[in-house]
């Protein structure tokens, strides 16, 4: 906990370099030499995701964190004109075209002694499977809120997942350069709607066109920013206390008075920053700013790094696997093919959970129960990659050249470890996917198999059916569009969708026998099918039909959540 210090006053001084937060904790550790390296490496890891409802500014903020973290020289802009550089994070063709994030992006970089693994996630609910998988791989999140809109539905859902997992949450109130809700109301909304304590670390000075900067409550300093063209460069900033005449001179009376009044109200509330509550996910530090204008980004980055957790132990069937455990272990949470047109291959993204990863090491692969040698390991930065020789807990690394790897697999030097982190979703949209060019069957099939392995979409196979057309099952219809687009652009295979009558899928008991399936009485229009793990499911036209089945087949309980087994 730290109290808010009294205003410092003093003269206006331009900030040439970052203000002095304490050095990365890794530098201060005292351990016997052999242990130092791994403990030190773990302590300096920060692995986090940026989450929110669509369009709140996650990708824009990601770009600005890269700019302020020194990882890029020039920030791209999602709304960039054609002659400007595109974003590092939204690198996929379709993302650039649509201006939305479709797939999560991994960005690893070093800053101020920290090794940062940042994951930008897509906000659209149709891609939430990807976002939820990312949440299993991170130690904390930055939740971005559009300050004009407050808490939106998808943010709320993602927040709930973080809360269930006990993930610490940092909040960035973005777009303060537009007319925004009253900041006190925004903070109150966090407490009222999400039920989480909120501690404003800084406070907006003005809003909309008059948004001038933020007041840092920890140092009692005003940070007044200037806008730069397109927000490509760091925003020049001047810093001074509330009483500093030079700062005062830059603000009109109304803005100044309003800010001082609001700050007084906050002080009266008397809350202190509580690190333990933040780490327990019970309180969120709140930062205000504007990602597109670079206002408040440096304060967020430094404040986040200072208070966010290093990798923690993972709990596995009641046992804790601590990051310091000497055996290497990690799990695959994402697979992506064709990231770089020069290397038409697939990357499996693994989150290291314990021990040290070394290139060329031999590990146990949980799915195949075989030993595999990991010779092609990479550090990932958007769609760029670089060979990597070693990695530590917290790191996300890319492994190339292992077709047998699937999402959820554990890789470890201790075969007793088997992570079960990856959630599966229940599809709600179903469509046939036709191949209109018989001559391109090979490309169509290869592309589809690849995308299924990536988990871009799910597939079902109808029972007793002579139709060989794949039946796709999606959490949301935008996933169909992504499949079609990627089949065409990455595999040169056109495709055509055909609607189906089903909207509901339910899983049958995994131990049900084939002849028992013949004996089931199905409502009109319902069909039995198998998922990719060969588990039987029933497709229904609507909820009413699914409920009717439940009443007429009481001995056959249905599950609305996908079963995780793979049948022979
Ligand atoms: N005015 C204003 N616009 C912003 C700010 N930050 C982002 N934007 C704009 O908001 C829009 C959405 O930004 P993105 O960064 O793509 O949002 P996102 O959250 O990544 O969106 P998805 O990944 O598709 O969910 C873009 O047009 C940005 O330029 C800001 O601080 N102020
Ligand atoms: Mg985005």
């Amino acid at each position: 906990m730290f109290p808010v210090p009294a205003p410092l006053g003093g003269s206006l001084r331009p900030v040439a370099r970052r203000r002095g937060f304490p050095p990365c904790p890794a530098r201060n550790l005292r351990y016997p030499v052999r242990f130092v390296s791994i403990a030190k490496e773990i302590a300096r890891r920060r692995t986090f995701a940026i989450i929110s409802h669509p369009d709140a500014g996650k990708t824009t903020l990601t770009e600005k964190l890269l700019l302020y973290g020194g990882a890029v020289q020039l920030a791209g802009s999602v709304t960039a004109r054609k002659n400007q550089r595109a974003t590092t994070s939204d690198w996929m063709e379709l993302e650039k075209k649509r201006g939305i994030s479709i797939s999560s992006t991994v960005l690893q970089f070093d800053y101020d002694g920290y090794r940062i693994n940042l994951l930008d996630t897509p906000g659209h609910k149709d891609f939430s499977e990807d976002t939820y998988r990312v949440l299993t791989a991170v130690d904390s999140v930055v939740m971005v809120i559009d300050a004009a809109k407050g808490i939106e539905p998808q943010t709320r859902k993602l927040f709930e997942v973080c809360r269930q997992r006990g993930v610490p949450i940092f909040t960035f109130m973005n777009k303060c350069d537009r007319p925004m809700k009253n900041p006190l109301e925004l903070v109150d909304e966090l407490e009222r709607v999400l039920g989480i304590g909120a501690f404003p670390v800084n406070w907006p000075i003005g809003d909309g066109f008059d948004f001038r900067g933020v007041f840092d409550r920890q140092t009692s300093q005003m940070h007044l920013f200037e806008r730069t063209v397109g927000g490509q460069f760091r925003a020049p900033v001047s810093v001074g206390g509330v009483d500093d005449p030079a700062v005062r001179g830059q603000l009109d009376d109304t803005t100044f008075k309003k800010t001082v009044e609001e700050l007084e109200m906050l002080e009266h509330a008397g809350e202190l920053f509580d690190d333990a509550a933040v780490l327990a996910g019970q309180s969120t530090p709140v930062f205000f700013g504007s990602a597109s204008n670079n206002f408040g980004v440096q304060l967020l980055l430094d404040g986040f790094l200072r208070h966010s957790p290093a990798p923690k132990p993972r709990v596995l069937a009641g046992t804790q696997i601590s990051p310091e455990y000497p055996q290497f272990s990690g799990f695959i949470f994402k697979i992506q093919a064709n990231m770089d047109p020069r290397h038409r291959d697939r990357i499996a993204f693994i989150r290291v959970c314990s021990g040290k990863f070394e290139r060329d090491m031999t590990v146990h692969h949980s799915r195949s129960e075989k030993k595999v040698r990991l010779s092609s390991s990479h550090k990932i930065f958007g769609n760029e990659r670089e060979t990597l020789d070693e990695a530590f807990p917290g790191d996300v690394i890319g492994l190339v050249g292992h077709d047998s790897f699937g999402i959820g697999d554990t890789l470890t030097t201790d075969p007793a470890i088997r992570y079960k982190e990856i959630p599966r979703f229940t599809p709600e949209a179903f469509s046939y996917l036709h191949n209109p060019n018989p001559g391109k069957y090979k490309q169509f099939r290869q592309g589809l198999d690849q995308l299924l392995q990536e988990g871009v979409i799910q597939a079902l196979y109808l029972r007793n059916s002579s139709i060989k057309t794949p039946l796709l099952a999606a959490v949301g219809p935008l996933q169909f569009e992504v499949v079609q687009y990627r089949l065409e652009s990455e595999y040169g295979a056109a495709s055509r969708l055909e609607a189906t009558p089903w909207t509901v899928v339910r899983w049958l008991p995994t131990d049900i026998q084939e002849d028992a399936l013949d004996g089931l009485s199905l409502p009109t229009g319902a069909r039995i099918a198998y998922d990719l793990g060969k588990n039987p499911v029933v497709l229904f036209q609507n909820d009413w039909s699914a409920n009717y089945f439940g009443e007429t087949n009481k001995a056959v309980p249905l599950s609305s959540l996908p079963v995780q087994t793979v049948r022979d």
Side-chain angles (χ1 to χ4, degrees):
M1 301 227 280
F2 51 85
V4 178
L8 296 174
S11 65
L12 186 75
R13 53 190 170 87
V15 170
R17 48 188 293 271
R18 276 176 326 90
R19 285 181 309 97
F21 275 107
C24 164
R27 293 178 188 158
N28 300 331
L29 287 174
R30 302 265 184 279
Y31 281 110
V33 177
R34 196 177 57 78
F35 195 58
V36 166
S37 64
I38 184 155
K40 212 169 143 184
E41 291 296 339
I42 295 166
R44 72 186 193 97
R45 277 352 191 230
R46 291 293 182 275
T47 305
F48 67 102
I50 305 203
I51 57 164
S52 80
H53 195 82
D55 262 3
K58 296 175 290 300
T59 300
T60 310
L61 178 63
T62 300
E63 289 293 319
K64 300 314 169 80
L65 290 173
L66 298 180
L67 176 70
Y68 278 83
V72 299
Q73 298 307 318
L74 197 67
S77 166
V78 179
T79 51
R81 289 190 301 275
K82 282 212 175 61
N83 57 351
Q84 288 178 328
R85 184 180 173 282
T87 57
T88 316
S89 184
D90 281 349
W91 52 268
M92 211 188 263
E93 258 324 292
L94 189 55
E95 293 181 315
K96 288 184 199 158
K97 218 166 130 185
R98 296 278 300 250
I100 62 168
S101 301
I102 285 168
S103 169
S104 54
T105 304
V106 178
L107 299 139
Q108 192 187 70
F109 61 100
D110 287 327
Y111 168 74
D112 197 26
Y114 291 93
R115 167 68 48 96
I116 298 174
N117 291 271
L118 193 173
L119 290 106
D120 179 23
T121 64
H124 199 288
K125 72 172 178 30
D126 289 10
F127 307 127
S128 45
E129 235 177 340
D130 186 6
T131 302
Y132 281 45
R133 287 181 200 136
V134 164
L135 290 178
T136 65
V138 298
D139 301 310
S140 56
V141 300
V142 171
M143 176 169 77
V144 182
I145 290 175
D146 181 332
K149 296 184 175 156
I151 295 159
E152 297 175 88
Q154 197 58 15
T155 304
R156 207 157 146 177
K157 281 195 198 156
L158 292 165
F159 170 83
E160 278 310 326
V161 178
C162 293
R163 175 161 32 208
Q164 277 164 18
R165 298 186 59 87
V167 178
I169 297 160
F170 292 72
T171 302
F172 186 66
M173 296 289 183
N174 191 28
K175 305 196 185 184
C176 295
D177 61 317
R178 300 249 297 268
M180 63 186 263
K181 284 188 171 182
N182 181 317
L184 290 165
E185 223 175 89
L186 285 168
V187 171
D188 181 56
E189 213 174 307
L190 286 170
E191 299 183 343
R192 212 167 20 82
V193 179
L194 300 182
I196 187 169
F199 182 89
V201 176
N202 60 31
W203 199 253
I205 304 169
D207 77 322
F209 190 68
D210 297 323
F211 179 50
R212 297 302 321 280
V214 292
F215 176 80
D216 181 355
R217 294 180 68 216
Q218 295 176 302
T219 57
S220 297
Q221 297 281 287
M222 296 250 185
H223 293 241
L224 301 184
F225 301 94
E226 285 167 41
R227 297 175 197 227
T228 64
V229 180
Q232 288 185 58
F233 303 96
R234 288 156 172 255
V237 55
S238 38
V239 182
V242 177
D243 304 326
D244 188 327
V247 167
R248 178 69 192 82
Q250 291 190 51
L251 298 174
D252 64 71
D253 281 350
T254 324
T255 306
F256 182 77
K257 274 193 197 135
K258 181 172 172 282
T259 311
V260 170
E261 262 171 39
E262 286 169 348
L263 286 169
E264 276 170 5
M265 284 171 76
L266 286 180
E267 293 311 316
H268 279 303
E271 272 193 61
L272 296 177
F273 191 101
D274 183 349
D275 265 312
V278 172
L279 295 180
Q282 292 158 356
S283 174
T284 177
V286 183
F287 299 80
F288 288 82
S290 162
S292 62
N293 290 291
N294 305 341
F295 287 21
V297 175
Q298 183 85 71
L299 290 167
L300 170 71
L301 179 61
D302 291 333
F304 169 80
L305 290 173
R306 183 177 175 191
H307 297 289
S308 58
K312 276 193 312 213
R314 299 229 152 206
V315 179
L316 237 183
T319 319
Q320 278 206 350
I321 314 275
S322 94
E324 291 87 3
Y325 182 56
Q327 300 284 349
F328 162 77
S329 71
F331 64 91
I332 295 167
F333 66 95
K334 176 181 170 72
I335 288 179
Q336 181 99 46
N338 310 323
M339 285 177 64
D340 184 341
R342 286 169 304 170
H343 308 272
R344 287 260 169 212
D345 53 17
R346 62 199 283 271
I347 298 192
F349 291 83
I350 174 169
R351 147 83 198 217
V352 181
C353 298
S354 73
K356 181 177 174 184
F357 169 87
E358 281 171 340
R359 190 153 70 91
D360 280 333
M361 76 193 300
T362 301
V363 298
H364 176 263
H365 173 223
S366 62
R367 183 180 301 244
S368 62
E369 299 281 3
K370 285 191 181 139
K371 284 200 180 313
V372 287
R373 191 165 148 223
L374 304 177
S375 44
S376 185
S377 43
H378 299 270
K379 171 186 157 124
I380 305 290
F381 189 78
N383 61 346
E384 291 164 21
R385 55 170 106 160
E386 211 176 88
T387 300
L388 170 132
D389 293 323
E390 55 176 38
F392 293 90
D395 282 342
V396 170
I397 57 179
L399 301 171
V400 178
H402 300 276
D403 285 350
S404 62
F405 287 1
I407 291 172
D409 296 0
T410 299
L411 299 173
T412 175
T413 50
D414 176 357
I417 299 179
R418 192 179 269 251
Y419 293 106
K420 288 209 172 84
E421 300 269 11
I422 305 295
R424 282 190 59 199
F425 277 54
T426 308
E428 291 175 15
F430 305 88
S431 188
Y432 289 116
L433 190 74
H434 292 277
N435 168 30
N437 301 326
K440 291 259 178 160
Y441 180 75
K442 211 173 131 213
Q443 288 90 329
F444 176 82
R445 200 59 245 189
Q446 188 198 4
L448 186 59
D449 286 345
Q450 181 61 66
L451 297 178
L452 289 174
Q453 207 167 6
E454 266 188 39
V456 170
I457 203 153
Q458 301 178 38
L460 298 171
Y461 295 90
L462 289 177
R463 184 169 187 262
N464 296 336
S465 170
S466 55
I467 304 172
K468 290 283 170 277
T469 310
L471 172 59
L472 300 185
V475 172
L478 265 182
Q479 282 177 278
F480 295 132
E481 197 182 316
V482 173
V483 167
Q484 286 198 288
Y485 188 89
R486 288 191 57 188
L487 274 178
E488 177 96 53
S489 68
E490 292 169 27
Y491 300 90
S495 59
R496 182 172 58 78
L497 289 171
E498 181 195 335
T500 72
W502 306 296
T503 63
V504 175
V505 63
R506 293 285 179 265
W507 272 258
L508 286 157
T510 47
D511 56 359
I512 195 164
Q513 300 297 316
E514 280 298 307
D515 23 338
L517 292 177
D518 294 329
L520 292 176
S521 75
L522 296 176
T524 315
R527 283 292 299 268
I528 296 177
Y530 300 95
D531 69 8
L532 286 174
K534 301 196 184 113
N535 301 297
V537 301
V538 188
L539 286 160
F540 297 102
Q541 293 191 343
N542 47 43
D543 281 321
W544 183 87
S545 170
N547 293 339
Y548 181 75
F549 177 94
E551 279 164 27
T552 49
N553 298 272
K554 287 219 160 55
V556 187
L558 293 177
S559 162
S560 59
L561 289 175
V563 299
Q564 305 278 354
T565 51
V566 175
R567 301 204 328 171
D568 292 331

